[in-house]
Amino acid sequence: MVTFEVAGLADLIRVREGHFRFESGHHGTLWLDLDSLFVRPSVVAPFARQLAEQISEYSVDVVCGPWSGGAFLAQMIAEQLDLAFAYSQPAEDHLGTDQLYARPYSIPTAFGAHLAGKRVAVVDDVINAASAATATMAALSAVKARIVVVASLMTLGQVGRQRITELGHVVETLQSRDHTIWPSNECPLCASRVPLES
Ligand SMILES: O=P(O)(O)OC[C@H]1O[C@H](OP(=O)(O)OP(=O)(O)O)[C@H](O)[C@@H]1O
């Protein structure tokens, strides 16, 4: 079942069980309600501080996260380490399909202009399939930034973490939770005709 390594973080995140399709196009059984995580920044701040400590080992210039949860966390960590901040934004379309990793992200021009040659930490509140994190990494590469670490408060399962590792990057996290995800054509819930949750 669940192993939460950092006391208290679990209490901030409500988990729903069911049959879900994620931004990556994968299907899986857990949906984390992250919308309320940043309602009170002072509650998340101790966890952000702990992740900031891990990131500080990598001589980072800029902390960058995908909009929106990753960006909120990136801004907190950038402030705590007195570093620059940037965020990536997802394309408006490319939602709700089973095609894997189809949603591109981009860096807003005002932030991208300062990223060439900089050492960047990519942070996300949660890494599941790593759709947001790896699309952010591609967007950072497009503006010639150098990714030196990828970090999250929590990783779910192995698929996303493995994808980042295969791209040659280190993942730092505070805690991990089991989660199995599948491409839609391998999803046992689809095979059992369990409807997707909205
Ligand atoms: O590793 P992944 O499979 O990409 O999943 C993790 C992403 O999902 C959540 O974002 P969400 O899509 O819910 O958008 P939000 O941050 O705007 O709530 C979370 O904030 C991560 O960015």
Side-chain angles (χ1 to χ4, degrees), residues 22-24 26 31-32 34-35 38 66-72 90 95 101 103 105 123-134 156 160 181:
F22 306 109
E23 178 183 280
S24 66
H26 291 87
W31 188 271
L32 272 52
L34 300 168
D35 290 344
F38 295 94
W67 183 262
S68 59
F72 295 143
L95 269 182
Y101 298 109
R103 195 178 199 193
Y105 281 60
V123 308
D124 209 346
D125 45 0
V126 170
I127 292 175
N128 182 26
S131 171
T134 56
L156 282 182
I181 60 175

Side-chain angles (χ1 to χ4, degrees), residues 34-98:
L34 300 168
D35 290 344
S36 55
L37 189 58
F38 295 94
V39 168
R40 283 184 75 93
S42 63
V43 174
V44 186
F47 304 108
R49 205 169 296 122
Q50 194 164 338
L51 196 59
E53 263 182 48
Q54 293 179 216
I55 288 171
S56 67
E57 304 291 317
Y58 293 86
S59 301
V60 167
D61 301 311
V62 183
V63 188
C64 179
W67 183 262
S68 59
F72 295 143
L73 179 64
Q75 193 159 59
M76 293 176 95
I77 292 173
E79 183 175 4
Q80 287 165 359
L81 296 176
D82 192 19
L83 299 173
F85 158 76
Y87 72 98
S88 62
Q89 54 193 6
E92 290 292 331
D93 48 4
H94 296 90
L95 269 182
T97 78
D98 288 336

